[in-house]
C-alpha cells in the first residue's frame, strides 16, 4: 500500500472514530453482569423500570409482574445478609433490604409475609417499639442468605395498584439507586424506544408561562423528523422536549427510556441518563418533565435542557444547558437520540431558525421569583417564603385574597401561584386570622390547602398572632378551626360481641378533614398490633395475643388539631 493511500485510510478511520467519540455523551457502564439472579421463579415481565415517569418521582427500580397473583416465592438475588426491613402503609408496603459483598444492596417491595424466621423477628420488634410502621436496622449476622434463598411472598402492599414485586439495586455506601437493567438480568429487549411528540420552548420566558409549540413529526428510517423542513421561530433562544417511551420484547407496557442526547449541528450539547438517582433527589422529576403540561391534563414530555433549579440532576452538560442560541439567524440542525438500557435507539431531527423578530415582554401577573434565591412575599394577612431550592425555573407568582365561605374558617382565602408550578422544597405560608383567637381556639386551628378537588391540612405553628405551615404545592390556603374528633367504627363486631368466629378485627377511622394520626390499640392495657396497609382500615389478625376469655379492647385516635377519640369494647373469645 502506498503512503498516500495509507494516509487517506488512516484519516478516514480517525475521522469516523472522532465523530463517534464526539457523539458519545455517556460512557459505557461496567456493572457486574452475572452477579444477581431474577428474584422470582417466573420470567421477568416488566410493568415499570427505573426512570419511568411517575407523579412527583422517578420510578426507582423494576416492577416485575407476578401474573396477576400474590404469594409467589421471592428469593435473594445474590449472597448477602438482610440489613433493613421496612413496613409502611404506602410506599414500599412491606420491604426487605439485602446487602451484598460486592458493594450493592437489593430491595424487594410490596411483599406479603416474610419467611417465618424473619416474620417472627419483625413482629417482636414491632411489639417492642409498639408500632406497626417500622424501619428496622437488622444485625448483619442475624439473617444471612445465599443466592436463591426464600425471603418472602410477593404481594400488593403499600403504594401498589396490582400484584407485583418492586426490585431495586442500590450502592450500599450511599444508598443511590443504579439501573437494574444494566446488570445482565434476563430481560429480552430488541425493541427501540418510541418517540411520540416533539415540543419547542421559548427560553426567553419561564417554562411555566407558556405552552410549548408542538411540532408534528413523521416516521422515517431509524427514527422521526418534523413534517416541516425548517421550523422558524420568533425568539432567539429555544429548547426541546420529547414524548417518548420504551418497551421490552413481547411486552406492550410503555416504560421509561434510559438516555436522551441533544445535538446542535452535530455538536453534542447535553444528555440525560436514568442511573445513579437518589431518593433524596427523585422529586426533581418535576424539573425533568413539563410539569405544567402534565398538571393540566396533557402527556409527559421530557426536557432536553437542565432547568436552573435542578440540583444533582440526571443531565450531563457538554456544551451548554440545552438552551439553543439561534441569534446567528442560521439554520440549526437539531437531533435528539433516545436510547434504552440495551443499546436500542431512535432519533428525532428537525431544522430550526430564528426569523429575527423581537420577543414580547411577559405579561404574567405577580412578583418574579428565582431558583437558588431566598425570597418572600409580604401582604397584610398572608406571607409566603420561598427557599433557595423551592423553584426549578424563574416564574411570576401571583397572590390574591378572597372571602372565606367555610363555616369553620377563621381567615380569608389566600391564593398563591398556580398548581401547575412545581415546588421542590416546601415553602412556608403564614396567615393571620381575621379575628383574635384565644389560646384554646388557636390550639384547634389547622391550615388547609385546596386546588380543585384536592385538599390537605397541616398543623400550624403560632408566632406573634400568625399561623405558619409548610406546603409543597401552590394553591389556595385558609385557617380552619377543627373541634371535631375522628370517628372510630368497628366493622363486623360491637361492644359485648363474642368474636370466636372471627379471624380478624377491623376498625374504620374517619376524620372530617381526612387526616388523623396516633392510632393506638390496646388489649387489656397492652399494645396490640393493627396493620394499616394503604392507609385504609386498621386490621388485627387474631393470634396468640388474644387468648380465650373476655377482654377489653381500647382504641384511641388523634387528628391534626389534637382532637382525640377513645372507644372501648368488651369482647369475648
Amino acid at each position: 500500500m502506498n503512503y498516500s493511500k495509507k494516509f487517506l485510510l488512516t484519516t478516514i478511520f480517525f475521522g469516523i472514530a472522532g465523530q463517534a467519540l464526539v457523539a458519545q455523551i455517556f460512557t459505557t457502564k461496567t456493572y457486574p453482569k452475572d452477579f444477581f439472579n431474577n428474584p422470582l421463579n417466573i420470567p421477568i415481565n416488566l410493568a415499570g423500570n427505573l426512570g419511568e415517569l411517575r407523579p412527583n418521582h422517578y420510578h426507582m427500580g423494576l416492577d416485575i409482574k407476578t401474573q396477576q397473583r400474590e404469594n409467589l416465592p421471592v428469593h435473594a438475588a445474590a449472597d448477602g445478609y438482610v440489613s433493613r426491613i421496612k413496613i409502611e402503609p404506602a410506599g414500599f408496603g412491606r420491604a426487605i433490604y439485602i446487602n451484598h459483598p460486592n458493594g450493592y444492596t437489593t430491595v424487594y417491595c410490596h411483599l406479603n409475609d416474610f419467611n417465618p424466621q424473619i416474620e417472627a423477628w419483625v413482629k417482636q420488634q414491632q411489639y417492642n417499639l409498639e408500632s406497626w410502621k417500622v424501619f428496622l436496622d437488622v444485625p448483619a449476622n442475624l439473617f444471612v442468605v445465599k443466592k436463591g434463598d426464600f425471603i418472602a411472598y410477593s404481594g400488593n402492599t403499600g403504594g401498589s395498584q396490582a400484584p407485583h414485586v418492586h426490585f431495586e439495586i442500590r450502592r450500599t455506601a450511599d444508598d443511590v439507586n443504579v439501573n437494574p437493567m444494566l446488570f445482565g438480568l434476563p430481560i429480552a429487549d430488541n425493541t427501540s424506544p418510541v418517540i411520540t411528540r416533539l415540543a419547542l420552548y421559548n427560553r426567553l420566558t419561564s417554562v411555566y408561562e407558556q405552552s410549548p409549540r408542538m411540532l408534528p413529526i413523521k416516521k422515517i428510517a431509524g427514527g422521526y423528523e418534523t413534517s416541516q423542513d425548517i421550523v422558524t421561530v420568533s425568539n432567539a433562544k429555544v429548547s426541546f422536549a420529547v414524548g417518548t417511551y420504551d418497551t421490552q420484547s413481547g411486552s406492550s407496557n410503555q416504560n421509561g427510556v434510559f438516555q436522551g442526547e441533544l445535538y446542535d449541528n452535530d455538536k453534542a450539547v447535553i444528555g440525560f441518563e436514568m442511573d445513579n438517582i437518589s431518593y433524596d433527589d427523585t422529586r426533581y422529576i418535576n424539573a425533568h418533565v413539563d410539569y405544567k403540561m402534565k398538571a393540566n391534563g396533557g402527556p409527559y414530555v421530557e426536557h432536553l435542557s437542565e432547568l436552573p433549579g435542578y440540583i444533582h440532576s440526571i443531565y450531563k452538560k457538554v456544551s451548554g444547558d440545552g438552551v439553543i442560541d439561534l441569534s446567528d439567524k442560521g439554520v440549526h440542525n437539531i437531533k435528539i437520540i433516545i436510547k434504552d438500557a440495551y443499546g436500542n435507539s431512535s432519533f428525532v431531527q428537525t431544522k430550526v431558525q430564528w426569523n429575527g423578530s423581537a420577543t414580547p415582554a411577559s405579561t404574567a401577573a405577580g412578583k418574579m421569583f428565582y431558583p437558588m434565591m431566598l425570597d418572600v412575599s409580604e401582604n397584610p394577612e398572608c406571607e409566603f417564603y420561598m427557599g433557595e431550592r423551592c423553584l426549578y425555573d424563574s416564574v411570576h407568582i401571583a397572590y390574591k385574597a378572597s372571602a372565606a365561605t367555610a363555616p369553620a374558617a377563621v381567615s380569608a382565602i389566600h391564593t398563591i401561584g398556580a398548581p401547575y408550578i412545581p415546588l421542590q422544597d416546601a415553602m412556608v405560608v403564614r396567615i393571620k386570622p381575621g379575628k383574635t383567637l384565644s389560646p384554646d381556639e388557636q390550639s384547634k386551628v389547622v391550615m388547609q390547602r385546596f386546588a380543585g378537588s384536592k385538599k390537605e391540612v397541616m398543623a400550624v405553628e403560632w408566632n406573634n398572632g400568625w399561623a405558619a405551615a409548610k406546603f409543597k404545592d401552590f394553591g389556595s390556603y385558609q385557617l380552619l378551626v377543627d373541634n371535631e374528633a375522628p370517628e372510630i367504627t368497628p366493622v363486623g363486631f360491637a361492644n359485648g360481641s363474642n368474636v370466636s368466629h372471627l379471624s380478624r378485627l377491623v376498625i374504620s377511622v374517619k376524620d372530617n378533614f381526612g387526616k388523623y394520626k396516633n392510632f393506638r390499640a390496646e388489649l387489656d392495657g397492652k399494645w396490640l398490633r393493627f396493620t394499616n396497609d394503604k392507609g385504609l382500615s386498621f386490621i388485627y389478625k387474631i393470634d396468640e395475643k388474644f387468648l380465650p376469655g373476655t377482654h377489653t379492647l381500647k382504641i384511641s385516635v388523634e387528628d391534626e388539631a389534637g382532637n382525640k377519640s377513645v372507644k372501648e369494647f368488651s369482647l369475648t373469645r
Side-chain angles (χ1 to χ4, degrees), residues 331-356:
V331 175
H332 287 248
N333 294 292
I334 303 297
K335 188 171 187 177
I336 297 168
I337 301 175
I338 302 296
K339 302 178 182 179
D340 67 20
Y342 296 94
N344 305 300
S345 67
S346 296
F347 66 85
V348 59
Q349 59 190 22
T350 188
K351 297 177 181 178
V352 62
Q353 184 178 30
W354 178 42
N355 63 15

Side-chain angles (χ1 to χ4, degrees), residues 156-290:
N156 187 31
T157 57
S160 170
Q161 305 304 312
H164 72 281
V165 171
H166 176 87
F167 176 72
E168 297 181 358
I169 300 177
R170 305 183 185 182
R171 294 197 302 258
T172 305
D174 55 11
D175 223 24
V176 168
N177 287 54
V178 290
N179 197 317
M181 299 181 82
L182 304 174
F183 284 77
L185 293 170
I187 304 172
D189 189 352
N190 296 310
T191 64
S192 296
V194 176
I195 299 173
T196 58
R197 50 186 56 86
L198 179 63
L200 175 67
Y201 294 80
N202 168 16
R203 293 308 294 272
L204 295 176
T205 189
S206 172
V207 294
Y208 308 119
E209 294 172 10
Q210 62 180 294
S211 295
R213 180 176 171 185
M214 304 304 293
L215 304 178
I217 60 175
K218 60 184 179 181
K219 192 84 170 67
I220 60 173
Y224 308 81
E225 67 180 9
T226 52
S227 302
Q228 188 176 350
D229 184 34
I230 298 178
V231 177
T232 58
V233 298
S234 56
N235 43 277
K237 290 188 177 181
V238 299
S239 67
F240 295 88
V242 293
T244 182
Y245 65 86
D246 188 39
T247 61
Q248 280 71 54
S249 298
S251 173
S252 60
N253 269 82
Q254 296 184 7
N255 298 324
V257 299
F258 175 51
Q259 291 175 341
E261 300 175 341
L262 173 69
Y263 298 86
D264 176 16
N265 291 331
D266 296 324
K267 181 180 181 181
V269 179
I270 195 170
F272 68 79
E273 181 177 74
M274 298 298 182
D275 191 31
N276 295 310
I277 303 174
S278 166
Y279 268 95
D280 292 338
D281 300 323
T282 189
R283 188 178 173 89
Y284 277 109
I285 186 178
N286 295 332
H288 176 59
V289 303
D290 186 332

Side-chain angles (χ1 to χ4, degrees), residues 430 432 442 462-467:
R430 299 180 74 229
K432 181 179 289 187
Q442 285 189 0
W462 288 93
N463 186 14
N464 294 326
W466 290 76

Side-chain angles (χ1 to χ4, degrees), residues 127-171:
Y127 272 94
N128 291 345
L129 297 168
E130 295 191 349
S131 177
W132 167 74
K133 180 181 177 181
V134 291
F135 196 7
L136 304 169
D137 289 319
V138 183
N141 61 349
L142 189 58
F143 299 116
V144 176
V145 296
K146 292 292 185 181
K147 180 185 286 190
D149 280 357
F150 166 67
I151 59 171
Y153 292 103
S154 69
N156 187 31
T157 57
S160 170
Q161 305 304 312
H164 72 281
V165 171
H166 176 87
F167 176 72
E168 297 181 358
I169 300 177
R170 305 183 185 182
R171 294 197 302 258

